[in-house]
Amino acid sequence: MIHRTIPTWQTRSWQDELSQLITEPEALFTTLKLDLGHLEAAKQAANLFPLRVTQSFLNRMKPGDIADPLLLQVLPLAEEFNQHPDYSADPLEEAESNPVPGLIHKYRSRVLLIGAPQCAINCRYCFRRHFDYQANSPSRAQWLDALSYIRSTQDIDEVILSGGDPLVISDRQLAWLIDELSAIPHLQRLRIHSRLPIVLPSRVTPELVNILTSSRLQPVLVVHCNHPQELDSEVGAAFALLRNQGITLLNQTVLLKGINNVAETLIQLSKELFKLGVLPYYLHLLDKVEGTTHFDQNERDAKGLHMAMLAHLPGYLVPKLVREEAGATSKTPV
Ligand SMILES: *Cc1c(COP(=O)(O)O)cnc(C)c1O
Ligand code: SF4
């Protein structure tokens, strides 16, 4: 028998990587050699919203640094128990705009489809951390209801596949869904919001790119990058694969206190993204969802950061500063 040594990253598929997520706080602490003084709080907070992180994302964190900007996006903290009257479980009142399970129709021309019941990483600031994925867990039967809703609503010209992360579903399911969508005449564009190209770059395979580009719908992929440290060569290669086949790549960032609320960081993020072919789209103020008060950056400072970006960057590298308001007809410029 001939033995060959193949680096593990070449032999493991993205599905394997997804099945080997880090979900135990102990594992996170041991791998990163973190101060165990924070472990008990992490375990408690993980009961509110589970810990989930890919090995790939973890590899980009600095060992021993409890304040690492990537770590803080996934590390459960005692602060998540803080209550505040302005923070609720469903601040965007999405439940009001949920005409059929798995579908959110808030803005006139576009509709959001929950592509999957989970994500590859659980972001602690997630506005859907209390979302009822159980009642909105996509199945084919449920997608059929969503598809008939879209078919019967002429105003809709864009479908957005969103979080849970739509790219965790299999190529086969995704191809089926896109096929069904492209048969609806009034649809023009297919938009996908996903963190996978960043947190699990191996998900971006030639097969996936082929599925996204072979329908008549114009594909747009919005990645969610919050910090330049998230961008490494594997992520760059994934972006290149997507971009080279004509997929428009945009980025949205959530402004997070303690993670990216520094002008230089945001400026560098825009520049690094553009080098990799991604245009900044939105800089979001945090949604006031329970358990996230510690990430909130007040509006005055947010505006100051945005002004600094305007002063240092060409206009096309400055994302729009927005907030989401329940009942508004679009995102609200700040
Ligand atoms: C943000 C969002 C959209 C997309 O809005 P754009 O301004 O087009 O990016 C659509 N539907 C819902 C429910 C949203 O939250
Ligand atoms: S990837 Fe998006 S939907 Fe999923 S946990 Fe993170 S913020 Fe929430």
Side-chain angles (χ1 to χ4, degrees):
M1 202 174 148
I2 301 166
H3 289 273
R4 288 191 303 153
T5 44
I6 303 171
T8 46
W9 64 269
Q10 284 184 352
T11 57
R12 289 172 67 202
S13 69
W14 66 271
Q15 285 99 337
D16 289 341
E17 284 187 59
L18 254 191
S19 67
Q20 289 160 19
L21 295 181
I22 292 101
T23 56
E24 295 299 331
E26 284 94 341
L28 184 68
F29 276 69
T30 333
T31 317
L32 287 176
K33 303 181 172 60
L34 297 174
D35 176 357
L36 293 176
H38 302 274
L39 179 58
E40 193 47 41
K43 284 186 188 170
Q44 297 290 330
N47 292 328
L48 293 174
F49 183 49
L51 165 71
R52 278 172 85 86
V53 62
T54 60
Q55 184 67 48
S56 168
F57 198 60
L58 193 142
N59 290 346
R60 287 166 249 161
M61 299 173 188
K62 198 156 119 251
D65 184 2
I66 197 81
D68 181 273
L70 277 55
L71 175 66
L72 287 181
Q73 294 181 48
V74 300
L75 176 68
L77 291 177
E79 283 88 337
E80 293 177 32
F81 286 94
N82 294 349
Q83 296 277 336
H84 188 285
D86 292 347
Y87 287 66
S88 72
D90 180 17
L92 310 179
E93 295 171 14
E94 286 193 331
E96 310 277 307
S97 323
N98 199 193
V100 296
L103 182 143
I104 299 168
H105 192 193
K106 269 172 53 174
Y107 305 149
R108 198 182 169 102
S109 64
R110 46 229 191 272
V111 71
L112 195 146
L113 260 187
I114 302 291
Q118 62 199 10
C119 300
I121 76 170
N122 278 346
C123 312
R124 304 319 293 178
Y125 57 85
C126 181
F127 65 109
R128 295 216 177 92
R129 54 182 281 154
H130 306 283
F131 189 75
D132 189 357
Y133 282 121
Q134 218 62 35
N136 284 276
S137 174
S139 62
R140 245 180 223 207
Q142 207 178 81
W143 275 340
L144 290 175
D145 287 343
L147 287 163
S148 27
Y149 178 88
I150 298 167
R151 209 173 286 123
S152 63
T153 315
Q154 296 281 338
D155 279 348
I156 302 170
D157 65 2
E158 175 167 331
V159 167
I160 303 170
L161 302 182
S162 178
D165 204 303
L167 294 185
V168 305
I169 67 174
S170 69
D171 284 353
R172 199 168 42 82
Q173 283 176 300
L174 197 62
W176 177 85
L177 185 58
I178 294 177
D179 223 38
E180 293 288 320
L181 289 169
S182 61
I184 301 175
H186 50 269
L187 291 183
Q188 303 293 326
R189 295 174 304 279
L190 172 72
R191 191 196 320 180
I192 294 183
H193 278 248
S194 174
R195 288 206 81 177
L196 260 59
I198 290 170
V199 301
L200 192 72
S202 59
R203 176 63 184 105
V204 181
T205 60
E207 294 75 37
L208 175 69
V209 176
N210 188 39
I211 291 167
L212 298 179
T213 52
S214 54
S215 91
R216 69 169 186 88
L217 301 172
Q218 200 176 347
V220 179
L221 180 67
V222 184
V223 297
H224 291 206
C225 185
N226 294 321
H227 195 283
Q229 193 181 316
E230 293 171 38
L231 302 169
D232 67 2
S233 58
E234 276 183 59
V235 174
F239 289 170
L241 209 54
L242 294 157
R243 206 182 59 237
N244 292 343
Q245 295 304 314
I247 299 175
T248 300
L249 295 180
L250 303 173
N251 180 63
Q252 105 178 13
T253 298
V254 181
L255 186 59
L256 298 163
K257 191 155 93 185
I259 293 179
N260 61 11
N261 60 337
V262 176
E264 293 72 53
T265 304
L266 294 169
I267 290 165
Q268 195 199 345
L269 177 59
S270 274
K271 289 182 180 171
E272 297 294 326
L273 283 166
F274 187 65
K275 269 191 217 159
L276 302 176
V278 184
L279 280 172
Y281 179 38
Y282 280 142
L283 178 60
H284 268 273
L285 295 186
L286 186 75
D287 296 317
K288 296 196 183 308
V289 66
E290 245 169 47
T292 66
T293 52
H294 53 294
F295 286 129
D296 191 43
Q297 176 66 65
N298 70 59
E299 193 173 311
R300 193 174 45 93
D301 290 348
K303 280 187 191 158
L305 291 167
H306 196 241
M307 290 295 284
M309 294 181 88
L310 281 165
H312 285 89
L313 289 166
Y316 60 90
L317 292 188
V318 182
K320 285 177 246 192
L321 181 64
V322 292
R323 105 150 68 68
E324 195 157 338
E325 275 173 13
T329 56
S330 70
K331 308 277 186 252
T332 308
V334 175

